[in-house]
Amino acid sequence: MASEDITKLAESLAKTKVGGGQLSFKGQSLKLNTAEDAEEVIKQIEEFDGLEALRLEGNTVGVEAAKVIAKALEKKCELKRCHWSDMFTGRLRSEIPPALISLGDALITAGAQLVELDLSDNAFGPDGVRGFEALLKSPACYTLQELKLNNCGMGIGGGKILAAALKECHRKSSAQGKPLALKIFVAGRNRLENDGATALAEAFGIIGTLEEVHMPQNGINHPGITALAQAFAINPLLKVINLNDNTFTEKGAVAMAETLKALRQIEVINFGDCLVRSKGAVAIADAVKEGLHKLKELNLSFCEIKRDAALTVAEAIEDKAELEKLDLNGNCLGEEVCEQLHEILEGFNMAAVLGSLSDDEGEEDDDEEDDDEDEEEEEEEEEQQQLKERGEEEQESLTPKKIIDSQASTPVPSPPVDVATFLAFPSPEKLLRLGPKCSVLIAQQTDTSDVEKVVATLLRISSVFKDEAPVKTAVHETTDALMKKAFSSATFNSDAFITNLLIHMGLLKSEEKIKAVPSLYGILMTLNHMVQQDYFPKSLAPVLSAFVTKPHRALDSCSFARHMLLQTLHQL
């Protein structure tokens, strides 16, 4: 390290905050790549007697630096709080797991008994969870009360690994007579989806001591929400439930409402942007009316709630003396109902608790056609899911005797899948069932002279993207075959393609009313692969980068995928 760099590092470390057993390097933008880079940090750690909390947020720690910092931590048995969010900025994903393993092993060696572990805002993906899996299962985490993993891109795979580690920690700690008593769990913006949420719900049900759960923006639908509701019902100390920006629909909302009736300590309910709709809102209102006397905040904003349901919610809070905020903004009420809400709450002397209604969507007509279509789609999805689960359950419950008895019978083949079926109702299973030639088949059957058709096909392929290897490989290979064919065609307009794609992603406005895709995660992860291929015109990279960089709500909910794509574009 150059002398001027050492001087700069020393000046930065001079700002280090020390006090109350805490050593903080927070926000110092230290770039710790090598052991030499970390010398001053190590010195501070080694000389700190009674170290209870270490803050490394807002710096960037490489593998070698992590190893020597870990060595210094091996003697810090009193360490209880690790504030290690946003400490791998600019690092490759492959660097993060070994760095975490070194730090975790040090805590185990030291005999530390952690109370808080915060690894938020580290884009480590599913593999990163492996990096602290051993730590979570160790005695160092038997005392853990707060686990914060916000915005880490864990995905379904990472969620399952995390859930298994928490269950193992509880099992081992229970054997020692002191069961894991986790109080606060934070894992927003992680694309956990139904499978990840269901796995974690199982862990929550075993733990049973949760007081706060924050899992916003995870792409969880009603099956996952229902699983969480069942787990929350056996966590009687719950005070805060934040599931903002997931998709309850009526089924999930009703399940959660039933759970709320069993909880007595609830203070904050954040179901904003969760599509609970009117029937779901009424169910939640009933739960609020029956109990929840400690409720301080109820957020049902942007949930497609209509007139009568909103008024029912308002009437349900009449005796909630501790309520500080009721958020019903962004629903379908209309000016008259907004005034009625104010009147109802004024009658309770609670007008001050009603939040702004400035984003109200206005009262909808009585035409329920759209709602009926939505409900039919949900029922169809549920039936498909039930059929799938029933088939899996039947396979699992088949005893050896039944296997012998059924040998003579002919197995029922899976229904055939063709390209048209996949494109009409895309799913990972259908893509895989198309077989090894799926990429060739889809490319052959897509008119690549038509930009609109290419974009539509690409979006359908990318919508089934998962971090699981077989699906990811199939999506990448199918995308490559389609886009290589398109871009190599002399008649294909690349500029029109990127414009059309940005419009369908909701990042560029169009004169025509075009419905944007519901989630950008799949297309962002697919683009991250596409832009690295030889067929992708490098002239499109600046355009794509400019639009993905702009602030946008849809992009904010896919921050990990967005970060990955921008990092790749920057390196081109």
Side-chain angles (χ1 to χ4, degrees):
M1 182 184 282
S3 59
E4 59 268 25
D5 291 334
I6 293 174
T7 303
K8 185 178 179 182
L9 178 60
E11 289 173 353
S12 179
L13 289 172
K15 301 174 185 176
T16 299
K17 295 179 182 178
V18 179
Q22 174 175 285
L23 177 61
S24 175
F25 301 95
K26 183 178 179 179
Q28 295 184 18
S29 301
L30 303 175
K31 295 181 180 179
L32 309 178
N33 300 315
T34 65
E36 187 181 1
D37 294 340
E39 282 179 358
E40 288 294 328
V41 173
I42 294 165
K43 183 182 177 183
Q44 295 262 11
I45 293 173
E46 289 177 339
E47 293 178 353
F48 197 110
D49 292 329
L51 180 63
E52 294 183 7
L54 177 61
R55 307 197 77 105
L56 293 173
E57 311 104 305
N59 300 290
T60 178
V61 181
V63 176
E64 292 305 313
K67 285 181 180 178
V68 292
I69 291 172
K71 195 70 179 174
L73 290 175
E74 287 181 358
K75 298 177 182 178
K76 300 298 175 181
C77 63
E78 296 176 343
L79 188 61
K80 292 181 174 63
R81 298 184 182 274
C82 297
H83 302 279
W84 294 351
S85 63
D86 189 22
M87 58 178 269
F88 296 111
T89 304
R91 300 289 170 187
L92 297 174
R93 275 179 65 177
S94 59
E95 293 181 86
I96 302 176
L100 288 172
I101 289 170
S102 295
L103 294 167
D105 287 349
L107 298 177
I108 297 169
T109 301
Q113 293 185 315
L114 295 184
V115 173
E116 179 179 0
L117 177 61
D118 187 355
L119 292 170
S120 299
D121 300 314
N122 290 310
F124 47 59
D127 294 339
V129 185
R130 293 287 189 198
F132 60 94
E133 180 185 14
L135 173 63
L136 279 180
K137 294 178 179 179
S138 76
C141 285
Y142 291 178
T143 51
L144 195 64
Q145 295 180 15
E146 301 180 29
L147 179 58
K148 300 174 182 178
L149 299 166
N150 202 55
N151 191 30
C152 291
M154 290 189 291
I156 294 170
K160 289 181 176 180
I161 296 167
L162 175 62
L166 288 172
K167 288 191 289 185
E168 182 71 0
C169 180
H170 187 272
R171 185 186 68 79
K172 288 182 174 180
S173 58
S174 296
Q176 297 291 323
K178 294 182 179 179
L180 171 68
L182 191 66
K183 293 181 179 179
I184 298 174
F185 179 83
V186 181
R189 297 185 178 184
N190 271 293
R191 295 304 307 175
L192 294 169
E193 301 183 17
N194 290 332
D195 289 349
T198 301
L200 285 167
E202 187 177 338
F204 296 162
I206 292 170
I207 294 168
T209 56
L210 288 166
E211 295 180 11
E212 295 185 21
V213 175
H214 302 263
M215 295 174 65
Q217 296 183 359
N218 269 298
I220 308 170
N221 299 326
H222 70 82
I225 296 298
T226 300
L228 288 172
Q230 291 168 349
F232 293 165
I234 42 181
N235 280 265
L237 302 177
L238 265 174
K239 296 178 182 177
V240 178
I241 302 177
N242 176 6
L243 295 174
N244 189 285
D245 201 6
N246 289 290
T247 308
F248 282 42
T249 65
E250 179 191 338
K251 297 179 183 70
V254 169
M256 195 61 71
E258 285 302 308
T259 284
L260 291 175
K261 292 177 182 179
L263 299 175
R264 295 288 178 264
Q265 307 300 320
I266 288 291
E267 296 178 3
V268 176
I269 298 171
N270 186 344
F271 297 160
D273 206 7
C274 282
L275 204 67
V276 304
R277 295 201 175 113
S278 293
K279 290 181 180 177
V282 169
I284 292 168
D286 288 344
V288 170
K289 190 170 185 177
E290 286 184 23
L292 306 188
H293 296 293
K294 296 184 179 181
L295 189 64
K296 294 180 179 178
E297 181 178 336
L298 175 59
N299 184 346
L300 295 175
S301 59
F302 299 94
C303 280
E304 292 192 5
I305 299 169
K306 296 180 182 176
R307 172 194 178 108
D308 292 343
L311 296 176
T312 301
V313 171
E315 289 165 354
I317 66 167
E318 179 178 2
D319 61 345
K320 307 305 170 217
E322 296 187 30
L323 192 72
E324 298 170 2
K325 185 177 181 181
L326 171 63
D327 193 344
L328 290 169
N329 199 18
N331 286 299
C332 312
L333 309 181
E335 188 175 343
E336 182 182 340
V337 177
C338 290
E339 290 177 3
Q340 283 183 271
L341 286 174
H342 281 286
E343 290 173 3
I344 289 171
L345 294 176
E346 281 176 2
F348 302 154
N349 291 319
M350 297 175 71
V353 307
L354 184 62
S356 170
L357 297 171
S358 59
D359 292 320
D360 183 63
E361 295 288 340
E363 187 174 6
E364 289 190 357
D365 296 333
D366 292 332
D367 185 3
E368 298 292 334
E369 204 169 59
D370 291 341
D371 283 349
D372 291 340
E373 286 177 3
D374 287 340
E375 287 174 9
E376 286 170 7
E377 287 175 6
E378 288 167 23
E379 287 169 4
E380 185 176 272
E381 288 173 5
E382 185 179 31
E383 285 170 4
Q384 289 175 352
Q385 180 72 17
Q386 287 174 344
L387 286 170
K388 179 185 172 185
E389 290 172 354
R390 196 178 303 137
E392 291 172 349
E393 287 169 3
E394 288 172 359
Q395 182 65 31
E396 289 172 2
S397 64
L398 202 61
T399 64
K401 183 178 183 300
K402 288 179 181 176
I403 292 173
I404 294 169
D405 292 344
S406 65
Q407 281 178 345
S409 62
T410 304
V412 180
S414 299
V417 174
D418 56 20
V419 172
T421 302
F422 167 73
L423 293 178
F425 304 101
S427 73
E429 293 76 16
K430 289 193 184 81
L431 182 62
L432 294 176
R433 279 166 55 196
L434 280 172
K437 293 184 178 180
C438 64
S439 57
V440 177
L441 292 171
I442 290 175
Q444 285 177 344
Q445 296 186 37
T446 303
D447 181 4
T448 50
S449 65
D450 188 330
V451 167
E452 185 75 40
K453 288 182 180 177
V454 172
V455 169
T457 302
L458 175 62
L459 290 170
R460 285 179 171 85
I461 294 167
S462 64
S463 71
V464 306
F465 179 90
K466 282 187 176 183
D467 283 317
E468 298 168 8
V471 177
K472 181 161 65 172
T473 300
V475 169
H476 286 172
E477 290 178 351
T478 309
T479 298
D480 289 341
L482 173 69
M483 299 314 303
K484 189 174 183 179
K485 179 185 174 185
F487 284 126
S488 62
S489 171
T491 59
F492 189 71
N493 188 328
S494 300
D495 292 334
F497 164 77
I498 200 70
T499 300
N500 198 290
L501 180 62
L502 290 168
I503 288 171
H504 280 82
M505 291 172 70
L507 305 182
L508 182 63
K509 290 185 178 180
S510 170
E511 292 180 3
E512 299 177 21
K513 190 174 181 180
I514 295 176
K515 188 176 181 180
V517 292
S519 170
L520 295 183
Y521 179 76
I523 186 61
L524 289 173
M525 294 300 285
T526 304
L527 283 169
N528 184 53
H529 169 79
M530 270 178 58
V531 299
Q532 300 177 63
Q533 309 310 309
D534 291 338
Y535 61 72
F536 186 81
K538 297 301 181 275
S539 60
L540 298 182
V543 179
L544 189 57
S545 180
F547 280 90
V548 177
T549 304
K550 288 181 178 180
H552 196 285
R553 185 178 176 187
L555 289 168
D556 290 342
S557 65
C558 303
S559 53
F560 170 73
R562 178 193 208 176
H563 170 76
M564 293 290 292
L565 177 57
L566 288 174
Q567 192 173 45
T568 301
L569 289 168
H570 181 70
Q571 293 170 356
L572 291 178

